[in-house]
Amino acid sequence: MKKSFTKTILFAAFLFAVALAGTSCGKKGNVTPVTVPDLTTMDVVTTESGTIAYTGGLFNGSTDVSLSSYGICYSATNQTPTTADKKTTDTVILYAYTTKLTGLSPKTTYYARAYAVNSAGTGYGKVVQFTTGDGTTSTGGTVSTLAGNTAADFVDGLGGAALFNSPQGITAGTDGNIYVADSFNSAIRKVTAAGDVTTLSGNGSIGYVDGPIAAAQFYAPQSLVTDATGNIYVADYGNNNIRKITPAGVVSTFAGSGDAGYADGTGTKATFNSPRGLAIDGSGNIFVADLGNNLIRKITPAGVVTTFAGSRGASYLDNATATSATFNKPNGIAIDANNNIYVAETLNHAIRKITPAGVVTTFVGGNKRTGVVGNPSAIAFDKSWNLFIADQNGRILEITKDKVLKVIAGNGTSGFAEGVGTAGIFNSPQGIAVDAGNNVYVADYYNNRIRKIVLQ
């Protein structure tokens, strides 16, 4: 629900007229007192140029139609900025808004916080301190092909002799190998550091078979993740469940009945609808981007499935209550050191953030006009907690631990080329992973390749 200031004022005037009419009729009712707005300031992400930053605000209660203004106030000198300092004036998207700060000075520390004004006064969110970039642009990483070539097929082999068919998810195993959800081959492939490709499980045919790894079958797997003991968990998209592959070579159904639906429960009593992204925390809990249900689901090590965030409606709503927030076809998912969960949403053009307390905000993006993160399909952290993003528009992005947004490869065009930084070209990158050596790997969907990016 987008509201312009004009509509807000007209609506407030309408309510005031209704209140007067009720008074003139001699009726008395309980009037809820207006209180100062309660807000949360969203994370601030800056650009390398040092002149632009992205942030926003979240109303912790219901939005008040009497609001006269709201936005972000910021200053390089006042550590508790107010509306008397520089500020943006924004429009609410339901309970939250995102904004763009412009005209900033490079290499400068700023203080920012959300504000909102109503008849009771001015409410402020917590102050967020950030430092702008130094104005230099990084050269990006060196892009090459680790395995695969343009042809779509199902062949094991070394480097370009191996063939994939629309690879989707990718993860770096604890054993130093890269594992790929080769979606159209309905197979899980293993790629060594030297680019030697073998098939771990699946035979190229669609199916749903548990058991020995050589006989198991999948249906368009989309993503995978490994735990500390070497188990691999697979989002089996077409079978609507989460499969498990043990180091001993046994495939089983970890959660999901195989039918598309929505039900929490344990193991096969739970249902999913086209599960897309997977992430695992330090306690072994798996979080699922349940794309068809527009939800983030949680699976404990015992296989107990619950709904962690989202309310099944396909829309864009940040909220202070996780299950009141909404997502629109969540794709990728990742978890940081503080157990904050990040969700990549292609259709909302945003990276969302969910705190352990269940507060859902926009980390970056969310405004179709800005194209900040384009159409993000997958995300992954490195060991230093820098966040890497596969943008289906043909870019690989990085948001550093200091929250500086960089383009490390690709230029927004579709095609194929090796090279450094923007000279490296992708065709709808879908999956992303980072190994222990900080090399970035990308499942380059339409190029049927696994690309490697060596960072400068």
Side-chain angles (χ1 to χ4, degrees):
M1 179 181 67
K2 297 183 179 179
K3 300 188 298 180
S4 67
F5 291 135
T6 302
K7 290 181 179 178
T8 301
I9 294 169
L10 289 174
F11 186 46
F14 170 74
L15 292 182
F16 181 66
V18 171
L20 286 178
T23 303
S24 65
C25 292
K27 295 181 181 179
K28 295 181 179 180
N30 294 326
V31 178
T32 303
V34 177
T35 58
V36 173
D38 180 22
L39 298 99
T40 294
T41 307
M42 295 186 187
D43 292 272
V44 179
V45 174
T46 67
T47 61
E48 287 185 286
S49 68
T51 61
I52 296 173
Y54 301 95
T55 182
L58 169 69
F59 290 94
N60 297 324
S62 60
T63 50
D64 185 345
V65 295
S66 69
L67 290 172
S68 58
S69 62
Y70 28 82
I72 297 292
C73 53
Y74 58 102
S75 173
T77 56
N78 184 3
Q79 296 187 13
T80 54
T82 70
T83 54
D85 294 301
K86 291 183 178 180
K87 65 179 184 293
T88 65
T89 302
D90 299 282
T91 55
V92 169
I93 303 176
L94 288 177
Y95 294 105
Y97 54 91
T98 57
T99 193
K100 179 179 180 181
L101 310 183
T102 59
L104 304 177
S105 298
K107 298 178 65 175
T108 302
T109 298
Y110 284 89
Y111 307 89
R113 57 177 172 170
Y115 78 88
V117 182
N118 66 8
S119 58
T122 303
Y124 292 99
K126 183 179 179 180
V127 175
V128 175
Q129 178 181 324
F130 67 97
T131 301
T132 52
D134 62 7
T136 60
T137 301
S138 60
T139 57
T142 301
V143 181
S144 62
T145 296
L146 177 66
N149 63 54
T150 303
D153 209 330
F154 187 23
V155 178
D156 289 340
L158 181 64
L163 300 179
F164 298 86
N165 194 345
S166 305
Q168 284 270 6
I170 188 169
T171 192
T174 55
D175 57 4
N177 296 307
I178 301 299
Y179 293 88
V180 181
D182 192 3
S183 62
F184 280 22
N185 282 326
S186 292
I188 308 304
R189 316 286 292 278
K190 182 174 79 171
V191 188
T192 69
D196 190 14
V197 179
T198 55
T199 298
L200 181 69
S201 190
N203 58 14
S205 299
I206 292 171
Y208 178 24
V209 177
D210 284 336
I213 197 169
Q217 289 184 318
F218 302 83
Y219 186 174
Q222 297 286 298
S223 65
L224 25 65
V225 68
T226 58
D227 67 13
T229 59
N231 295 298
I232 300 173
Y233 298 88
V234 180
D236 197 356
Y237 183 87
N239 283 321
N240 298 295
N241 53 29
I242 309 303
R243 312 284 289 281
K244 179 180 178 180
I245 306 174
T246 68
V250 178
V251 178
S252 61
T253 299
F254 184 59
S257 68
D259 296 322
Y262 168 63
D264 288 336
T266 300
T268 56
K269 300 296 183 183
T271 56
F272 299 86
N273 189 351
S274 304
R276 177 65 170 83
L278 296 179
I280 190 167
D281 68 12
S283 300
N285 297 299
I286 294 174
F287 292 84
V288 183
D290 192 359
L291 182 141
N293 281 321
N294 299 299
L295 298 173
I296 306 304
R297 315 286 290 280
K298 177 182 177 181
I299 313 174
T300 69
V304 179
V305 180
T306 55
T307 297
F308 187 74
S311 56
R312 299 192 69 192
S315 62
Y316 178 26
L317 171 61
D318 288 326
N319 208 308
T321 306
T323 52
S324 296
T326 59
F327 300 86
N328 192 352
K329 302 297 182 289
N331 299 301
I333 190 167
I335 303 174
D336 72 9
N338 297 314
N339 286 327
N340 296 298
I341 296 172
Y342 297 78
V343 180
E345 287 186 282
T346 298
L347 295 185
N348 279 332
H349 310 277
I351 307 297
R352 313 281 290 284
K353 178 181 176 181
I354 312 169
T355 69
V359 178
V360 180
T361 57
T362 297
F363 182 60
V364 69
N367 187 335
K368 295 180 181 180
R369 293 171 298 177
T370 64
V372 183
V373 291
N375 295 310
S377 57
I379 50 179
F381 282 102
D382 68 9
K383 62 185 179 182
S384 299
W385 305 109
N386 302 298
L387 182 66
F388 292 85
I389 304 166
D391 175 7
Q392 288 186 65
N393 289 350
R395 300 181 302 166
I396 307 302
L397 310 174
E398 178 187 4
I399 299 178
T400 71
K401 63 181 183 300
D402 298 320
K403 299 175 184 175
V404 177
L405 177 65
K406 301 180 178 181
V407 178
I408 65 167
N411 58 20
T413 61
S414 295
F416 172 74
E418 315 282 31
V420 177
T422 56
I425 300 177
F426 302 81
N427 199 346
S428 190
Q430 293 291 322
I432 194 164
V434 189
D435 70 9
N438 281 345
N439 299 298
V440 179
Y441 298 88
V442 179
D444 196 357
Y445 185 77
Y446 284 122
N447 281 324
N448 296 302
R449 298 169 186 256
I450 306 306
R451 312 289 291 279
K452 179 180 180 180
I453 306 173
V454 179
L455 301 177
Q456 301 300 319

